[in-house]
């Protein structure tokens, strides 16, 4: 009788302990499709397979009115914002390139680390310039660093920034070497499975895989290899999920070259759809359907080619910003009686003044800024030009004003913000130009997809406004882990409240 009572008590204790565990998926998978417009989901819908984008839409939850709430809308900023749940004002990734201590730097450059996997400088990269934590960082802390987190992309910034600071690894493609590499920030040598992957996926050095649909397949293949080789989603402690961050880069590189329409873009999107379909099937097999949580979004969208728009009688064009800046610099030099360029750079609607030149010539920064703004306002295609530090009181419509403020990081973002008219690109081109770019506040650059599918995700959609900074807090709410440390977004309740 005593033995039986002891057994029952032991069984009850086991049940209570089992019930006490926090329910979490075995694996979280984040997928970013670089330069994917929201409407690409429907423009190519009839040509998609059932198992890729269609499966996400049919089985998952789609936020149909999902927008980026800052500018500039570009790659590094988008990847950082999706995974940190905040904007450049807090995470500090103000562009692909931005200023630190008065000098322009690349977002992930780090001369304290070395390449691992090649002898090129392509591996001198890390997340050190990133000033906020990510979903993966929070997951690692919540699990006492037992959760594994990996990033993979052809672009270094698209792998490094999503994976975060404490990731187990991030891998990107070294075009010069013709294979994937990493840096000593993460490890001292490539894992054996990574060496084997490179050996069995040979590519000619110097060939830019971002300009080929095959680059999509290569990325998904490596993601599957990481999944299997690192046993992601196989942790015996059921409340400790792993995370895999995947970014598809050719959609962006080919968009820049060929625009949003045409056979090249159809090819890369259909290749992405097939790769996604195969990858989701692999997740079903390796982790189990319903055991993983996947979200798919974009870092930014992209404008239609202006020649394409003009051919259909729609207002569009290009503005030779570099040419105007050259003229303005000459006028500023004459007015302030100096030699040199007071406007040192223009990146993605961010105008940088040369503070060293201003100081050396004992000029008043406010006066130089005021005169530069006055000259920039005379460029007819600039709708608004404003001092970043005075934008809150400027006569600018609220939605744009909010995006400027959210995108401004003092010391990194420059001095002046210049907003182009809708559908105008910041450079000139001829009638044969087929490409495009991005970076603006407008829906063509800022309206992106967000679909979640899998573990505890309801089927459905919403047209309720949601923002790119809401992705991270939504995922963290589902996982019952603290949101990233600079998070300014909020959980999307149509998803979290229907669990």
């Amino acid at each position: 009788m005593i033995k039986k009572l002891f057994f029952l008590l032991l069984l009850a204790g086991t049940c209570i302990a089992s019930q006490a565990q926090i329910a979490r998926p075995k694996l979280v998978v984040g997928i970013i499709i670089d330069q994917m417009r929201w409407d690409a989901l429907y423009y190519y819908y009839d040509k998609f397979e059932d198992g890729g984008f269609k499966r996400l839409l049919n089985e998952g939850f789609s936020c149909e009115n999902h927008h980026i709430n800052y500018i500039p809308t570009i790659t590094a900023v988008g990847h950082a914002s999706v995974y940190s749940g905040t904007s450049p004002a807090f995470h500090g990734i103000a562009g692909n390139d931005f200023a630190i201590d008065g000098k322009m730097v690349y977002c992930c450059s780090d001369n304290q680390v070395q390449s691992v996997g090649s002898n090129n400088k392509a591996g001198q990269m890390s997340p050190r310039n990133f000033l906020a934590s990510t979903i993966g960082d929070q997951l690692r802390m919540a699990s006492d660093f037992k959760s594994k987190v990996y990033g993979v992309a052809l672009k270094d910034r698209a792998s490094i920034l999503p994976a975060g600071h404490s990731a187990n690894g991030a891998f990107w493609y070294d075009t010069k070497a013709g294979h994937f590499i990493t840096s000593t920030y993460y490890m001292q040598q490539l894992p054996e499975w990574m060496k084997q992957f490179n050996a069995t996926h040979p590519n000619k050095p110097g060939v830019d895989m971002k300009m080929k649909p095959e680059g999509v397949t290569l990325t998904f293949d490596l993601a599957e290899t990481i999944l299997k080789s690192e046993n992601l989603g196989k942790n015996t402690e059921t409340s400790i999920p792993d995370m895999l961050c995947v970014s598809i880069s050719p959609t962006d590189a080919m968009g820049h070259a060929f625009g949003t329409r045409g056979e090249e873009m159809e090819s890369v999107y259909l290749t992405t759809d097939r790769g996604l379909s195969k990858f989701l099937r692999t997740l079903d097999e390796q982790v189990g359907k319903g055991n993983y949580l996947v979200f798919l979004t974009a870092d930014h969208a992209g404008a239609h080619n202006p020649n394409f728009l003009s051919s259909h009688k729609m207002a569009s064009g290009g503005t030779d910003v570099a040419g105007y800046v050259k003229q303005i610099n000459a006028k500023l030099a004459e007015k302030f009686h100096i030699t040199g360029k007071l406007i040192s750079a223009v990146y993605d609607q961010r105008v940088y003044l040369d503070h060293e030149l201003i100081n050396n010539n004992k000029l008043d920064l406010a006066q130089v800024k005021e005169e530069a703004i006055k000259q920039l306002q005379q460029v007819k295609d600039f709708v608004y030009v404003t001092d970043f530090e005075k934008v809150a009181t400027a006569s600018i419509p609220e939605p744009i004003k909010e995006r400027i403020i959210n995108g401004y990081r003092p010391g990194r973002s420059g001095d002046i913000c210049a907003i182009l008219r809708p559908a105008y690109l910041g450079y000139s081109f001829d009638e044969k130009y087929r490409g495009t770019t991005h970076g603006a506040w407008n829906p063509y650059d800022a309206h992106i997809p967000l679909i979640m599918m899998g573990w505890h995700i309801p089927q459905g959609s919403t047209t309720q406004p949601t923002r790119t900074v809401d992705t991270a807090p939504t995922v963290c709410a589902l996982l019952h882990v603290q949101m990233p440390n600079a998070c300014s977004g909020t959980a999307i309740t149509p998803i979290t409240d229907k669990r």
Side-chain angles (χ1 to χ4, degrees):
M1 182 69 182
I2 294 174
K3 286 184 178 180
K4 185 176 180 181
L5 181 61
F6 176 77
F7 175 76
L8 290 172
L9 289 170
L10 182 64
L11 182 62
T14 303
C15 291
I16 291 169
S18 174
Q19 291 171 359
Q21 282 192 325
I22 297 298
R24 292 187 174 112
K26 293 182 178 180
L27 178 68
V28 181
V29 179
I31 302 173
I32 287 183
I33 311 297
D34 205 325
Q35 203 188 121
M36 184 175 184
R37 295 167 56 106
W38 162 81
D39 59 0
L41 287 170
Y42 303 104
Y43 183 75
Y44 298 110
Y45 186 87
D46 292 342
K47 296 179 180 179
F48 286 151
E49 293 184 356
D50 289 337
F53 288 110
K54 279 186 179 178
R55 178 180 172 186
L56 290 176
L57 287 168
N58 292 334
E59 296 183 17
F61 192 95
S62 179
C63 296
E64 296 285 291
N65 194 16
H66 194 66
H67 287 258
I68 296 169
N69 66 326
Y70 55 78
I71 53 173
T73 48
I74 55 175
T75 299
V77 186
H79 283 81
S81 298
V82 167
Y83 282 88
S84 67
T86 195
S87 63
F90 293 106
H91 64 55
I93 301 298
N96 292 340
D97 300 273
F98 51 86
I100 296 181
D101 297 329
K103 296 182 179 179
M104 298 305 296
V105 301
Y106 176 65
C107 57
C108 292
S109 63
D110 186 352
N111 58 16
Q112 298 179 48
V113 300
Q114 301 300 318
S115 299
V116 174
S118 81
N119 295 320
N120 305 317
K121 292 184 178 181
Q124 289 190 289
M125 304 287 170
S126 83
R128 290 191 211 274
N129 294 329
F130 192 10
L131 305 179
S133 67
T134 63
I135 301 169
D137 290 327
Q138 299 302 135
L139 187 58
R140 294 266 289 157
M141 285 190 282
S143 67
D144 290 327
F145 298 92
K146 294 175 183 176
S147 293
K148 295 180 181 179
V149 176
Y150 284 91
V152 57
L154 295 178
K155 292 181 181 180
D156 50 65
R157 56 188 180 271
S159 173
I160 292 168
L161 298 172
H165 299 270
S166 65
N168 300 84
F171 302 95
W172 56 94
Y173 196 79
D174 182 344
T175 299
K176 271 189 179 180
H179 59 240
F180 282 93
I181 64 168
T182 187
S183 86
T184 52
Y185 179 88
Y186 303 99
M187 58 194 72
Q188 297 303 308
Q189 60 181 6
L190 292 177
E192 288 303 316
W193 55 260
M194 185 76 256
K195 294 177 184 177
Q196 185 176 356
F197 180 90
N198 283 335
T200 56
H201 293 75
N203 293 292
K204 187 176 180 181
V207 174
D208 187 356
M209 294 304 292
K210 297 190 299 297
M211 287 300 298
K212 294 176 171 290
E214 293 85 351
V216 174
T217 306
L218 187 66
T219 305
F220 275 125
D221 283 351
L222 180 53
E224 290 187 16
T225 297
I226 296 172
L227 176 74
K228 296 174 183 177
S229 301
E230 291 296 327
N231 293 311
L232 300 185
K234 304 280 189 180
N235 200 307
T236 55
E237 296 186 53
T238 56
S239 63
I240 299 180
D242 297 316
M243 186 168 193
L244 181 57
C245 310
V246 183
S247 185
I248 302 301
S249 305
T251 41
D252 177 72
M254 294 180 68
H256 280 290
F258 304 112
T260 59
R261 294 288 187 264
E263 60 183 17
E264 295 90 353
M265 290 311 293
E266 179 173 308
S267 174
V268 74
Y269 269 98
L270 296 188
T271 301
T272 301
D273 182 58
R274 290 191 295 271
L276 178 61
S277 180
K278 179 175 178 290
F279 184 55
L280 292 175
R281 289 197 303 272
T282 300
L283 291 173
D284 291 341
E285 295 163 3
Q286 293 294 312
V287 186
K289 191 174 181 179
N291 289 329
Y292 61 87
L293 167 65
V294 61
F295 66 87
L296 181 143
T297 187
D299 52 349
H300 55 76
H304 287 308
N305 173 270
N307 286 329
F308 164 75
L309 291 175
S310 297
S311 70
H312 293 280
K313 302 180 181 179
M314 300 180 73
S316 186
T319 301
D320 183 13
V321 172
Y324 283 118
V325 167
K326 184 177 181 180
Q327 295 173 20
I328 291 170
N329 265 329
K331 292 178 181 178
L332 292 174
E334 182 179 357
K335 179 175 178 62
F336 291 104
H337 310 290
I338 59 121
T339 300
K341 300 175 182 178
L342 285 168
I343 296 178
S344 59
V346 179
Y347 287 93
D348 311 302
Q349 304 171 78
R350 294 168 290 134
V351 180
Y352 289 83
L353 299 179
D354 190 331
H355 288 233
E356 184 176 359
L357 182 62
I358 291 169
N359 292 335
N360 289 345
N361 285 274
K362 296 181 172 56
L363 301 178
D364 182 86
L365 174 61
Q367 289 182 356
V368 173
K369 197 184 294 186
E370 183 179 353
E371 184 63 26
I373 290 172
K374 179 181 175 182
Q375 294 294 334
L376 287 163
Q377 286 173 333
Q378 294 179 34
V379 178
K380 61 181 178 63
D381 293 329
F382 281 138
V383 183
Y384 300 105
V385 181
T386 183
D387 182 341
F388 268 123
E389 294 183 348
K390 296 180 179 179
V391 66
T393 57
S395 298
I396 297 175
E398 194 59 42
I400 307 173
K401 183 184 294 187
E402 177 192 13
R403 286 163 171 77
I404 296 171
I405 292 171
N406 288 341
Y408 174 58
R409 176 74 184 194
R412 292 194 175 196
S413 295
D415 302 275
I416 299 166
C417 181
I419 304 293
L420 280 166
R421 59 186 288 191
Y424 268 66
L425 308 185
Y427 48 86
S428 57
F429 46 82
D430 61 25
E431 68 279 359
K432 295 181 180 180
Y433 176 65
R434 294 182 58 200
T436 190
T437 192
H438 48 85
W441 68 270
N442 310 72
Y444 51 77
D445 281 352
H447 190 185
I448 57 175
L450 173 63
I451 313 172
M452 293 191 179
M453 188 194 81
W455 186 84
H456 287 198
I457 299 297
Q459 194 284 325
S461 65
T462 182
T463 56
Q464 169 186 313
T466 57
R467 307 163 300 169
T468 195
V469 296
D470 297 335
T471 306
T474 302
V475 174
C476 289
L478 291 167
L479 298 178
H480 294 288
V481 301
Q482 181 62 277
M483 61 186 68
N485 61 16
C487 185
S488 57
T490 56
I492 301 168
T493 54
I495 295 176
T496 57
D497 289 359
K498 292 182 180 179
R499 290 180 291 165

